Amino acid sequence: MSALFDNTPPRKNTYSFKWQKYQGKDIIPAWVADTEFRCAQPILDTLSAQIEHGNMGYILPAHHQGAINAVVRWLKDKHNWDIDPSWLVWTPGVVPAFNVACKAYCEAGDKVLIQTPNYPPLLAAPKLNGLERVDIGTVIETSQDNNGNTVQRYTIDFEALEREAADPKCKLFILCNPMNPVGSVLTQSEIDRIAAICNKNNVTLCSDEIHCDLILEPGKSHIPAGREAALAENSITLMAASKTFNVAGLGTSFAIIPNAKLRQAFTSAAAGIVPWVTVLGLAATEAAFTLCDDWHQAQLSYLRENRNKVFNAINQIEGLNMLKADATFLAWVDASGLNVDNVLNWAEEKGVGPSPGVDFHKADHFRINFGCSSAMLDDILSRLAK
Ligand SMILES: Cc1ncc(COP(=O)(O)O)c(C=O)c1O
């Protein structure tokens, strides 16, 4: 099945956000977090049928039983999470959803906890909503595996989280799990600790889990926040088919909010501002979550190979260093060893356009998107190595 991912549709001159930036330049775009892959055929067939039907009128998402059933089935099968369909709130993107959460659960002057480095729109959300952002750092944890090898991974600075959450002005913690850009998957004990900290301090958890179906490391699994008994009543969980199935341009995602009061506050804050998700987005989500299990598994294998390739190649380049991401198609590269003023310029001069670390609040790093054909990845890596 790897041919599915080797042969990617050309995206030059398609208005692709990722490709537009370097139009006319010999720089391979490796920044925006969408993949180069063609969507799974059942998604394309479903969208074609919807278009062929010929009517694009209003569809109230709460009436789209096909998409609702598909989400219920996916969460049960893939995440062992039994949800009640009434907990589901459709949102036209995860970015609008965490901004709505800021409005719904905070008042002017309140504080929002966010771990850094992080996805730029997440870092921007508190200020956009008249709130103060409190940064919680990311630390490297070192341990030994069963064979006595040293293993390193990024995780949240829990001491900082504990300390900052105690401020009564803190009302919301926007978590990103799996973590973008560092690629870590939080463990059960870490989720338990987050639950304890949030509950003790009356902080609501908004958990951005958009990358949760992209777990690459064998033996690791994703723990949805809302599935945890200790968090069910005090959290909202944000998910989508968008990253995994490369349908992000269709602007369709969903929040799972088991607590009726939190759900009501969320829908009230969204009212009149946030549009319904589109008919095509609902159709694509239904197809992704019902007809594409094999494609999903095949993509995970392909991405795992790509991840291993990036990890090995980057760590051989003098001045660069990275830890192996457990999840996502994003590699977080520590370029501090280059001792250059601008790591983006350094990469662009070599013909590669990563996401600059400064946007994630870590200027001496950059992020490479490895959700591409292995041939494109080889080109990216050999350019960086020159
Ligand atoms: C952590 C995270 N949240 C949200 C998004 C974007 O979500 P959406 O396109 O659904 O607004 C991204 C995209 O890169 C992301 O990495």
Side-chain angles (χ1 to χ4, degrees), residues 33 93-96 98 119 122 176 180 208 210-211 242-243 253:
V94 167
V95 173
F98 56 63
Y119 174 57
L122 225 151
C176 179
N180 173 13
D208 176 342
I210 196 168
H211 296 282
S242 58
K243 296 285 169 196
S253 59

Side-chain angles (χ1 to χ4, degrees), residues 132-145:
E132 195 181 318
R133 192 185 77 220
V134 178
D135 290 348
I136 305 298
T138 297
V139 291
I140 294 181
E141 178 192 78
T142 305
S143 60
Q144 306 281 316
D145 70 12

